[in-house]
């Protein structure tokens, strides 16, 4: 079944938008992280879609390789981020990002 | 003799040796310091006598020139340029002579901080001699301003109750005029690409209206120094507050720097302007003569009386210089020397009584001639000299000045000399009044009765002055001969202009 | 006479400079050695110096006999500037030789007199050490007078002119701690000097004018120029002569500058005799006589000279009538007689003027010295009385004639010589004064009637006041204890008097009518005319004199004045007498019009104009204060508010901006994320659409 490229890109866009909105609107830190993951994965989706549409041209595999990079980075970032959230929780007893505003000017 | 190229440098900087030696003497050894200072000034005096002996009386040009490049300013060469001619020779001699006498007079008068005093005094001498010998405008300005600093300290540290005020006033007032002169100097140097005075004179051809401004700028500095009426207000304060030696050197030499400046710079460099302004300068001079004499008469402090008398006397000098003829100018130069001797001696004499009584109010004295006959006799002679009694030096100067200005083409009117001659009447009035208040009448004040007459040191200071007073009065010929060729040279420059102007 | 016509000084002429050198030598010796030696030494040195000078004068006279045109003796150059050249040179001719002889001769006699006089005088006045000083000044005077008289140019004459003025100052104020308020003598000396200086001012201006017109100050050259170009330059010459006249009125005590002479009587009597009677005051007469060539050109000046002389003669004579001080009478008499001389040279009678100058020197010096003898006698008497009695401490004026009287019997020699002097002065024939005065009157009658009348009336007064004086001093009874005990003086005082009296008697022979020796003598130097004896004039004047003497005897001789009695003339003349006694208030007028205003002007200029206005207000208030105010404004007004304001403003601006911007840092991560997102969008749209 050939799913047209557009469908995949639209899906990627929608996912990205949901992710962005999630980052901007939600206050729960974990949910923000999930949204960030969602954005990253939407980017992955777009990358795979393009890789598939340009196959078997040279360089088309680059998209798929890049996806591996993104997954690795996402994982690392989650590890660090969740560690930070644990520390923040211990300090603030809450993971509401609005509570972490001591750098207010 | 001494190599002509270096003798002027030696004369100028000889006191520096004294300064260096004194720097290393401990401050407690006051007599040693005084002796060293005296010896240094005497060395300078002897060197200036040697300079006199080597002087070529037939030449009107500058002699014994010491000339070397110093540095450059905006592409113009500034030189270390010393030279002497008939205009400055007598003044250099006067300076070294008076300085030695003044140092000798401080032996018992200055007891505190003698070391600093002598250093300042010797530095002052360097400045003064430099002023008279400098022939590069920039160098002249340096020496000119340089004399202000030691004098400021001399007045400000060893002076009377209002010394700080007097010192600051002296410094600022003089400097204010000098700044204008500096502008003119810079203009001249940059315009003609040289600061050397003989070259500038030879060059000539400064357009008339610019000459006017330059003349006025130079005149501002010199008129304050002379001091010409009405720029004389700093003088009474400076003289009254200064220590005796300071007053002697101020009246004896520093004031002459002003009149010398007119003669060396204003007249030869700006002849058109000189001819044009001559009547105005003469007017101010005559006012100064009469005003100074009248104001002297009303004084109660004898030093202030003598201070105002300087305004009067130097009015005569200015009148003579701006008669712009040989008789007047030579009279003016001689009178510069005469004033230095007479008024310097008067201040020395006043200092001697001040040392004894610590007051200068004339009311505190009276009948001193009986108590101190030698002092009285010497003061009488000096007073008569100041008054212009024929047979003494003052008369020769005053008469030639009046004769020159009476028949002067540049001044164009007999009235200047006519009014100035009335000054001799006024001079007799205030000087005889001074003599009377101090020496005549009954000696009825207790404090005066036990005063001691002059001691040997004081007589030794005064005798050379008196000898000169008599010599110049009776036989001034050698003095006039020294000046004549240089004055003729100045006249030559003026003649060319006068023909064009009139 | 052109200078080329005068031979240079040879033979006896060449010793002429010694006439100045000897007195100077005398004064130097006394100055250096005087204090250590005794009075005798000092006196002898001083008198010998003058004596030697007299010998030199005689030598010049002898030389002139052989060479009447005279000679010029050059001593040294003095001033040479371009065309202006004067030298120390002596001009020996008949005119200057006349003065030389008279001055040194009379001076020698007075020096000798002074040896005795000053011995006593100094003893009375205190401080014997002053004896030396007196003779030093006295010799200096003669030296200066000789310079004046022998000068061959105006400038050298001026040296002597002011030199005698200086000696006059020193000698008038000789007792400088005595006089009114202890300072009166010194003030009198100062008055003399300053008044003379006014005259000197005139002399100076005259010299400048002369040099401007002629180009030289030498007498011969100037007079030659006057002869050649005189008429063409009458204006300048008039100016010159008027200023010379001013000089003469100062030195010779004429109107308006005579006021110093009466005050000069404060000096010792030998000074009054020598300086203020015989020699210094005649310098003006000599000067005008010498300048005949100039005065002859200007009618106006000559007339003015004559009028001033005559007017002074009369004016001073009236004052002399009412004076009570024996010396003051003589002082005003001197002024009056000088008026005669000045009038004479003014009307062109140089010989008459010089003649009277010579005779006057004799009898006036005689009178002064005799008066000195009287005063000494009175002082001796006073001393005697003071020691004898309990000594009342009232101020005793030894000069006051009211304290005298009847001295004829006690001081015989003095009386006789005084009488001779008085008769000579009054112009009683055959004494010297008669001939000289009459010659003047004769010439005046011919030249200028007004002058004649003034002089004739003055002659009347002269005889009157001398008669009054003689009668008051020597006749009648002694009006005070002192006068009763006044002794005669020793020979050293009286012998010179006798010698002078001799001169007063035979002095007429100098220019006896018919012989005209002086006329012939002076002819070699000046333009002279022979003045024939005029019987009419002589009769008139003799009658006047006798009338006056008779009147004096009526008032003072018949009923001599008693002690404490009022002067009879006071009752007769009333306010006129008061005027005469008060010298017509001339001194007071001068004081009010000139002296006090000048003092006030000087004080005003010094305190108000120069100090408070110019020094304090202008410099300190205006300049300094405005400078300080300016800098104050600059620093606190301008600098603090504007400059600092700008700089601080920058700072606060930054702070404001920062405060505003700070608000962006909300501290909320979501806001930051939003900002990031918006930024990315902007950049992407820029790249995609621009």
């Amino acid at each position: 079944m050939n799913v047209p490229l557009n469908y995949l890109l639209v899906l990627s866009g929608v996912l990205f938008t949901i992710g962005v909105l999630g980052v901007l609107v939600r206050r729960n830190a974990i949910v923000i992280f999930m949204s960030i993951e969602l954005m990253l994965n939407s980017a992955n989706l777009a990358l795979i879609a393009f890789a598939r549409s340009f196959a078997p041209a040279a360089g088309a595999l680059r998209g798929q390789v890049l996806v591996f990079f993104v997954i690795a980075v996402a994982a690392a970032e989650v590890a660090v981020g969740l560690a930070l959230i644990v520390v923040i929780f211990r300090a603030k007893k809450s993971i509401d990002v609005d509570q972490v505003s001591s750098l207010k000017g | 003799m001494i190599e002509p190229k270096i003798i002027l440098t030696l004369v100028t900087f000889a006191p520096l040796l004294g300064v260096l030696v004194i720097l290393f003497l401990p401050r407690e050894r006051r007599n040693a310091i005084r002796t060293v200072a005296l010896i240094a000034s005497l060395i300078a005096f002897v060197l200036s006598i040697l300079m006199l002996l080597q002087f070529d009386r037939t030449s009107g040009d500058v002699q014994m020139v010491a000339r070397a490049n110093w540095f450059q300013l905006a592409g113009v060469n500034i030189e270390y340029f010393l030279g002497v001619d008939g205009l400055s020779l007598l003044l250099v001699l006067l300076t070294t002579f008076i300085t030695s006498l003044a140092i000798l007079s401080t032996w018992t008068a200055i007891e505190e901080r003698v070391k600093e005093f002598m250093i300042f005094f010797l530095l002052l001498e360097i400045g003064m001699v430099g002023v008279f010998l400098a022939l590069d405008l920039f160098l002249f300005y340096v020496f000119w301003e340089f004399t202000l600093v030691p004098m400021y300290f001399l007045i400000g540290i060893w002076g009377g109750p209002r010394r700080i005020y007097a010192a600051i006033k002296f410094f600022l007032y003089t400097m204010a005029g000098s700044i204008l002169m500096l502008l003119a100097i810079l203009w001249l140097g940059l315009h003609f690409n040289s600061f050397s005075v003989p070259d500038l004179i030879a060059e000539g051809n400064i357009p008339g209206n610019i000459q006017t401004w330059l003349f006025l700028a130079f005149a501002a500095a010199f008129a304050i120094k002379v001091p010409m009426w009405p720029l004389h207000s700093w003088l009474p304060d400076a003289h009254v507050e200064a220590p005796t030696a300071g007053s002697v050197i101020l009246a004896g030499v520093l004031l002459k720097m002003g009149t010398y400046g007119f003669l060396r710079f204003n007249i030869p460099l700006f002849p058109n302007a000189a001819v044009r302004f001559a009547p105005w300068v003469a007017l101010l001079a005559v006012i100064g003569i009469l005003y100074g004499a009248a104001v002297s008469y009303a004084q109660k402090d004898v030093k202030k009386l003598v201070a105002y008398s300087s305004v009067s006397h130097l009015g005569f000098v200015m009148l003579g210089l701006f008669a712009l003829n040989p008789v007047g100018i030579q009279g003016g130069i001689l009178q510069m020397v005469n004033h230095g001797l007479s008024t310097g001696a008067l201040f020395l004499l006043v200092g001697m009584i001040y040392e004894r009584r610590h007051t200068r109010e004339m009311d505190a004295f009276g009948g001193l001639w009986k108590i101190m006959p030698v002092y009285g006799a010497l003061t009488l002679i000096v007073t008569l000299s100041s008054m212009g009694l024929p047979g003494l030096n003052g008369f020769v100067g005053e008469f030639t000045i009046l004769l020159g200005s009476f028949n002067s083409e540049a001044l164009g009117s007999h009235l200047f000399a006519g009014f100035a001659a009335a000054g001799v009447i006024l001079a007799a009035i205030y000087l005889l009044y001074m003599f009377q208040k101090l020496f005549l009448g009954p000696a009825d004040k207790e404090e005066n009765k036990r005063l001691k007459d002059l001691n040997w040191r004081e007589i030794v200071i005064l005798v050379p002055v008196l000898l000169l007073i008599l010599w110049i009065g009776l036989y001034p010929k050698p003095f006039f001969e020294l000046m004549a060729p240089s004055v003729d040279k100045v006249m030559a420059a003026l003649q060319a202009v006068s023909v064009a102007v009139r | 006479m052109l200078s080329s016509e005068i031979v240079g000084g040879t033979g006896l002429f060449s010793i002429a400079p010694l006439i100045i050198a000897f007195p100077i030598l005398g004064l130097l010796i006394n100055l250096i050695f005087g204090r250590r030696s005794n009075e005798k030494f000092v006196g002898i040195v001083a008198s010998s110096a003058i004596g030697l000078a007299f010998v030199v004068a005689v030598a010049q006279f002898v030389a002139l006999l052989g060479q009447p045109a005279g000679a010029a003796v050059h001593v040294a150059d003095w001033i040479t500037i371009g065309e202006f050249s004067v030298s120390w040179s002596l001009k020996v001719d008949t005119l200057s030789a006349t003065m030389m002889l008279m001055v040194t001769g009379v001076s020698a006699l007075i020096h000798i007199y002074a040896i005795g006089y000053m011995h006593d005088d100094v003893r009375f006045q205190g401080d014997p050490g002053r004896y030396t000083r007196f003779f030093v000044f006295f010799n200096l005077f003669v030296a200066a007078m000789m310079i004046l008289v022998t000068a061959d140019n105006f400038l050298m004459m001026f040296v002597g002119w002011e030199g005698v003025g200086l000696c006059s100052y020193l000698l008038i104020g000789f007792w400088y701690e005595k006089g009114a308020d202890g300072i009166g003598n010194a003030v009198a000396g100062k008055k003399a000097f300053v008044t003379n200086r006014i005259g000197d001012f005139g002399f100076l201006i005259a010299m400048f004018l002369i040099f401007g017109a002629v180009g030289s100050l030498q007498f011969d050259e100037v007079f030659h120029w006057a002869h050649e170009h005189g008429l063409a330059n009458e204006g300048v010459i008039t100016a010159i002569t008027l200023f010379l006249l001013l000089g003469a009125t100062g030195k010779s005590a004429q109107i308006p500058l005579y006021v110093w002479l009466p005050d000069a009587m404060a000096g010792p009597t030998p000074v009054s005799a020598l300086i203020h009677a015989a020699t210094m005051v005649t310098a003006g007469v000599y000067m005008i006589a010498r300048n005949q060539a100039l005065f002859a050109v200007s009618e106006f000046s000559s007339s003015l000279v004559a009028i001033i002389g005559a007017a002074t003669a009369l004016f001073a004579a009236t004052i002399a009538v009412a004076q009570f001080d024996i010396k003051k009478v003589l002082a005003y008499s001197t002024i009056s007689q000088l008026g005669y001389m000045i009038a004479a040279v003014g009307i062109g009678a140089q010989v008459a003027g010089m003649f009277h100058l010579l005779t006057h020197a004799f009898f006036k010096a005689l009178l002064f010295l005799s008066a000195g003898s009287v005063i000494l006698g009175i002082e001796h008497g006073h001393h005697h009385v003071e020691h004898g009695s309990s000594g009342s401490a009232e101020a005793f004026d030894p000069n006051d004639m009211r304290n005298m009287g009847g001295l004829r019997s006690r001081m015989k020699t003095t009386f006789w010589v005084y009488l001779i002097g008085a008769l000579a002065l009054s112009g009683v024939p055959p004494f010297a004064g008669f001939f000289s005065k009459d010659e003047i009157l004769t010439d005046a009658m011919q030249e200028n009637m007004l002058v004649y009348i003034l002089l004739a009336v003055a002659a009347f007064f002269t005889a009157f006041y001398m008669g009054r004086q003689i009668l008051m001093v020597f006749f009648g009874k002694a009006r005070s204890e002192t006068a009763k005990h006044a002794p005669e003086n020793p020979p050293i005082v009286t012998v010179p008097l006798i010698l002078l009296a001799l001169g007063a008697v035979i002095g007429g022979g100098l220019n006896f009518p018919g012989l005209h020796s002086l006329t012939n003598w002076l002819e070699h130097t000046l333009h002279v005319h022979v003045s024939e004896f005029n019987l009419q004039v002589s009769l008139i004047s003799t009658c006047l004199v006798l009338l006056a003497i008779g009147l004096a005897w009526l008032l003072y001789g018949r009923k001599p004045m008693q002690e404490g009695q009022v002067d009879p003339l006071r009752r007769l003349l009333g306010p006129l007498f008061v005027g005469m006694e008060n010298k017509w208030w001339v001194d007071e007028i001068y004081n009010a019009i000139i002296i006090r205003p000048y003092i006030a002007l000087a004080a005003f200029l010094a305190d108000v104009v120069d100090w408070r206005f110019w020094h304090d207000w202008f410099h300190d208030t205006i300049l300094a204060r405005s400078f300080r105010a300016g800098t104050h404004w600059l620093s606190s007004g301008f600098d603090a508010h504007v400059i600092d304001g700008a700089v601080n403003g920058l700072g606060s601006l930054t702070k404001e901006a920062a405060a505003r911007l700070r608000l962006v840092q909300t501290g909320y991560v979501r806001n930051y994320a939003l900002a990031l997102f918006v930024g990315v969008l902007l950049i992407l749209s820029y790249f995609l659409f621009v």
Side-chain angles (χ1 to χ4, degrees), chain B residues 409-468:
Chain B
E409 275 179 29
L411 294 179
S413 161
H414 295 315
L415 286 175
F416 293 110
F419 277 100
V424 308
I425 305 174
L426 302 182
I429 294 178
Y430 73 79
L431 283 167
L432 287 180
Y433 170 72
M434 176 192 86
F435 189 75
Q436 178 186 304
K437 283 291 271 191
L438 291 176
F439 293 97
L440 305 180
D444 51 6
K445 302 200 176 44
E446 269 313 310
E447 311 85 23
N448 292 335
K449 288 196 183 150
R450 261 156 287 125
L451 289 176
K452 292 228 268 285
D453 208 347
L454 300 185
N455 58 38
W456 278 111
R457 178 182 56 90
E458 291 165 328
I459 296 181
V460 161
I461 297 175
L462 290 171
V463 164
V465 181
L466 288 170
L467 288 174
L468 278 172

Side-chain angles (χ1 to χ4, degrees), chain C residues 148-170:
Chain C
L148 195 162
V149 158
T150 59
D152 101 320
N153 58 67
F154 282 95
L155 199 61
M156 183 172 163
M157 182 188 238
F158 190 68
V159 174
W161 189 268
E162 282 226 17
V164 297
L166 168 70
C167 296
S168 179
Y169 165 77
L170 292 172

Side-chain angles (χ1 to χ4, degrees), chain C residues 176-212:
Chain C
Y176 47 73
E177 76 283 8
K178 299 254 160 70
D181 293 328
I183 198 80
N185 293 354
V187 170
K190 185 165 64 129
K191 181 174 180 177
F193 195 93
V194 174
T195 316
N196 265 287
R197 262 263 157 134
I198 301 177
D200 298 343
F201 162 77
F203 201 113
L204 278 173
I205 303 287
M207 280 197 279
F208 301 146
L209 286 168
I210 291 173
F211 187 74

